[in-house]
Amino acid sequence: MSSRRQFWATVTAAADRSYSKTDPDATFMRLKEDHMRNGQLKPAYNVQISTSNQFVVNYSIHPNPTDTNTLAAHLDQYEKSFGRSLKSITADAGYGSEENYTMLEEKKIAGYVKYGLFDNRQHRSFNSKHPFSADKLHYNPRGDHYICPIGQKMRYIGNTINRTVTGFLQTARMYKASNCSKCPLNGACHKSKGDRIIQVNLNLERQKRQADELLTSQQGIQKRKRRCFDVEPVFGNIKHNHKFRRFMLRGKQKVEIEWGLIALAQNIRKKAA
Ligand code: SF4
């Protein structure tokens, strides 16, 4: 089970850039539990942990405010510590990206990892509210075209390639409708001025279908339930019961040691209980 929380770094100086002047390893992040409740940015670290029965079995400290780009380093850390890879991982939608799914495939790790709209898609009301979304259009593999809601072909017009901050290339195929301006569904079907264009990342769609299969299986449902009472209470215990919200040391290396002691204390308390 993997999850993360952000903790203040021990600095108070404000900076007009994304990193702190007094702890250059920390990054300014918008913390949920900002005591002023006005969404201030604070210098912080993104702490990732993996747990098993509420024991911390792996942790890693990151300067990235988002989780997507932390998974690879977190798993590398696990492999370094245990000399082997995981068989499966359960994580929330913050980690569900094409880059992460591809990495899990390469490492042969079963990824019980949600993607952005996974929870919404489980509700019938969400699906009925978006009847014209691209994922509901019929695809004809022989002709390599989609059929738009009124029954016209949407033809392939080329690829678009996006490079992520880590250099991973995401390729999407683009399909274009014709004569949307004369269509009675125009406006309801899409909001763009010209003819509708959809972008389909075939690899990501395949990975999402695979994630759907795993997450909705009996085992997947159990793992998702378990995640809520395995990893989340560990952060709850450390932050709320033991009031640890702010690192006392500066610099990533020292913060890693400080968090290691926190994790060790959590495991000893758990063992004693
Ligand atoms: S608006 Fe365009 S894409 Fe939508 S149904 Fe009409 S012709 Fe098809």
Side-chain angles (χ1 to χ4, degrees):
M1 311 284 159
S2 288
S3 188
R4 61 94 179 170
R5 285 294 185 282
Q6 291 154 343
F7 290 84
W8 284 31
T10 179
V11 285
T12 50
D16 56 359
R17 298 172 69 177
S18 64
Y19 60 86
S20 161
K21 286 175 181 166
T22 50
D23 185 349
D25 292 347
T27 308
F28 274 75
M29 301 181 192
R30 205 172 291 284
L31 302 185
K32 277 185 199 161
E33 50 280 285
D34 165 29
H35 71 285
M36 299 291 284
R37 300 199 180 281
N38 59 3
Q40 286 178 27
L41 294 170
K42 302 281 184 197
Y45 290 97
N46 183 343
V47 177
Q48 300 280 327
I49 62 169
S50 296
T51 63
S52 177
N53 295 319
Q54 297 184 354
F55 285 92
V56 180
V57 293
N58 185 32
Y59 71 89
S60 53
I61 310 286
H62 306 262
N64 334 28
T66 53
D67 297 328
T68 323
N69 298 330
T70 62
L71 188 61
H74 188 68
L75 292 181
D76 283 349
Q77 171 72 33
Y78 180 92
E79 285 167 20
K80 232 192 280 174
S81 304
F82 292 90
R84 61 182 165 82
S85 190
L86 286 164
K87 287 197 175 116
S88 71
I89 182 171
T90 313
D92 69 19
Y95 305 84
S97 68
E98 184 185 6
E99 188 171 355
N100 284 342
Y101 287 133
T102 303
M103 187 235 339
L104 293 174
E105 283 175 350
E106 285 168 1
K107 287 179 181 284
K108 299 192 180 1
I109 299 173
Y112 294 83
V113 180
K114 290 181 187 177
Y115 50 87
L117 288 177
F118 173 81
D119 283 329
N120 289 343
R121 284 190 183 177
Q122 306 313 304
H123 299 293
R124 213 176 284 167
S125 58
F126 175 82
N127 291 321
S128 60
K129 268 185 210 159
H130 301 86
F132 303 131
S133 60
D135 61 300
K136 305 230 174 44
L137 303 180
H138 175 72
Y139 176 65
N140 181 328
R142 288 176 73 186
D144 188 18
H145 60 251
Y146 278 83
I147 304 294
C148 81
I150 211 163
Q152 292 196 61
K153 283 182 187 171
M154 298 180 81
R155 297 183 193 283
Y156 170 67
I157 55 165
N159 287 353
T160 172
I161 298 175
N162 176 44
R163 185 186 291 271
T164 67
V165 286
T166 57
F168 183 82
L169 296 179
Q170 299 169 314
T171 305
R173 293 171 71 81
M174 295 188 292
Y175 297 84
K176 190 175 181 184
S178 49
N179 294 322
C180 287
S181 58
K182 294 180 185 148
C183 174
L185 290 180
N186 196 4
C189 173
H190 68 109
K191 303 283 180 216
S192 51
K193 281 187 184 154
D195 292 331
R196 183 178 181 185
I197 296 175
I198 58 168
Q199 294 185 6
V200 185
N201 181 332
L202 294 177
N203 189 41
L204 180 58
E205 290 309 314
R206 174 189 64 76
Q207 291 169 331
K208 283 180 177 175
R209 284 195 297 275
Q210 205 168 288
D212 281 339
E213 228 169 84
L214 285 174
L215 290 163
T216 55
S217 66
Q218 272 308 315
Q219 203 176 12
I221 293 166
Q222 288 303 318
K223 281 178 181 286
R224 277 155 60 199
K225 280 185 191 163
R226 190 185 175 100
R227 191 186 159 279
C228 301
F229 59 79
D230 197 318
V231 68
E232 296 299 341
V234 172
F235 274 129
N237 191 32
I238 292 171
K239 289 189 95 165
H240 302 292
N241 299 341
H242 294 279
K243 312 258 182 286
F244 181 83
R245 290 168 181 273
R246 189 170 186 170
F247 287 112
M248 299 175 76
L249 301 175
R250 291 179 191 171
K252 186 166 177 263
Q253 209 178 2
K254 290 180 182 170
V255 162
E256 276 171 347
I257 293 168
E258 188 175 353
W259 184 261
L261 294 171
I262 298 287
L264 194 61
Q266 159 70 21
N267 289 352
I268 292 171
R269 272 195 306 266
K270 179 77 190 152
K271 183 81 181 158

